[in-house]
Amino acid sequence: MASKSKLGTVPQLCNRSSHARNTYQNRQYSAPVAGAIPASKQKYVPTSGAYPKGFLASGIHVGVKPTNTQLPDLALLVSETPCSGAAVFTKNKFQAAPVTISRQILERCSGEGIRSIVINAGCANAVTGKGGLEDASAMGHAVDACLDTPRTAPSINSPELSSNPSRTLVMSTGVIGQRLPISKILSAIPTAHSTLSPSHANWLLAARAICTTDTFPKLLSRTFTLPSSPGITHSLAGMTKGAGMIHPNMATLLGMLFTDAPVPAKTIKPLLTHAVDRSFNAISVDGDTSTNDTLAFLANGAAGGEPITSLSSEDGKALTNIVTSFTQQLSQLVIRDGEGATKFVRVRVVNSPSFADAQKIASTIARSPLVKTALYGKDANWGRILCVVGYTQGLSPGAVVPEKTSVSFVPTDGSEALKLLVRGEPEVVDEKRAGTILEEEDLEILVDLGGGEGGKGDEEASYWFCDFSHEYVTINGDYRT
């Protein structure tokens, strides 16, 4: 049985491979020795939180990956009462076993009666055949058993796995093509259950337990009120993981949202979809879509208030804005922690004939290796950006008119934008100022389509991404070792 993990100091929370830590270019974004969080990233780790009523968390060490001898790698999130729940999943055709199992659970229960989420790091349980499905199912049923009769988890071959629909969603992250050490995990789940707590320390442990190449745990929480019940304070919490193999086709690798607001099953799925399209579906590290992408949302209504039965109601509109803004902040932490990243970039496409056109252009820019390497080299090579705009596939006719297109770098300090291209005409670029702007960690690239062919387009979309560095290659060159 795994022993209870201790939170320890912030520098002990995350780890990377020795090769990545000792890369020849010791940049400030590299994870230093002993698994310390880089100084520049510590500001993103919360020291307190406002977590939703009725939810408990834990994170313990199991040793899913043999090389992990001390860091937590099994997380458990539980609601004391049944929740409405929804999730969005990867569109990769090679979908991991936990993706299949969690989707089946939500379909069978119609998004009602969900109690918990269990997550392991170190092994993705992807492309593992029938055995992988059995392992994922066993994890969920082991948690269910703890919630009903503690410490009586079923075996992998128990008939309970097929006869009783689970109330626990399952997620895994790590190396693809390897089986889970399922016996170790099943024997540790009662410990994860017995150490559940609503404390900030436990929420942070759970966020740490889902990390792989992350350099810091990604956890956010906030309180809010709704128009119909200003006297009731609700809470919203979320955690995510991911630093590589990040490009939307639904989300980043793994994410979880929890609220004590009363959101019924029929409302929570469209609420999640709307938020994800504008957050986790608008980030890119390297253009790769994982086999395991899952973002789940649970609501237990423990804070009280009137159920939000429509997103078009005043409460529904308010909650949509709150959740969307929150998921944007949460998803952007993934870009802040992009493997080897030195830049946090927002690309904003404005005055587009449609949101879809703007999003396609922003997405294509965000995953361009030439754009990303130019940003790493602090090179104001706007021609690469314009090239991407020109070859973006699937745009509506007349969406891009070269003579109407403008490109600018927008500093995040509030100073004037640096115009690179204005209505198809190149500007004389102040290279010194361009270099100063590109020295900063944060940058916005503004692409103005001038309304498209008809000149009346006013839609816009944003994407958040990072650069490509030498360290990205180093990290992914030795990922399995």
Side-chain angles (χ1 to χ4, degrees), residues 77 86-89 117 119 169-173 210 218 237-242 250-258 272 276 280 292-298 327 330-331 334:
L77 290 304
V88 285
F89 301 98
I117 304 175
I119 315 100
L169 304 183
V170 182
M171 302 183 190
S172 297
T173 179
I210 66 176
K218 300 167 183 64
M239 64 181 68
T240 188
K241 64 84 50 190
M250 86 4 85
T252 181
L253 286 176
L254 301 179
M256 290 136 274
L257 303 173
F258 308 89
L272 178 62
V276 165
F280 283 92
N292 290 57
D293 288 351
T294 304
L295 183 68
F297 191 4
L298 301 186
T327 54
L330 187 62
S331 66
V334 176

Side-chain angles (χ1 to χ4, degrees), residues 249-280:
N249 225 339
M250 86 4 85
T252 181
L253 286 176
L254 301 179
M256 290 136 274
L257 303 173
F258 308 89
T259 186
D260 52 19
V263 189
K266 71 173 185 178
T267 310
I268 196 168
K269 182 60 183 285
L271 173 61
L272 178 62
T273 300
H274 180 278
V276 165
D277 282 345
R278 290 154 180 80
S279 56
F280 283 92

Side-chain angles (χ1 to χ4, degrees), residues 350-352 404-406 423 447-457:
V350 301
N351 295 320
S352 169
K404 292 185 175 184
T405 303
S406 303
R423 298 186 68 82
V447 177
D448 188 337
L449 299 182
E453 188 173 50
K456 297 182 179 180

Side-chain angles (χ1 to χ4, degrees), residues 328-366:
Q328 286 177 343
Q329 295 175 53
L330 187 62
S331 66
Q332 288 166 26
L333 291 177
V334 176
I335 303 303
R336 295 284 183 189
D337 200 24
E339 289 175 344
T342 71
K343 292 282 186 290
F344 175 85
V345 188
R346 177 189 186 187
V347 56
R348 191 159 65 100
V349 180
V350 301
N351 295 320
S352 169
S354 70
F355 171 78
D357 287 332
Q359 190 176 50
K360 287 174 184 176
I361 292 171
S363 170
T364 309
I365 293 171

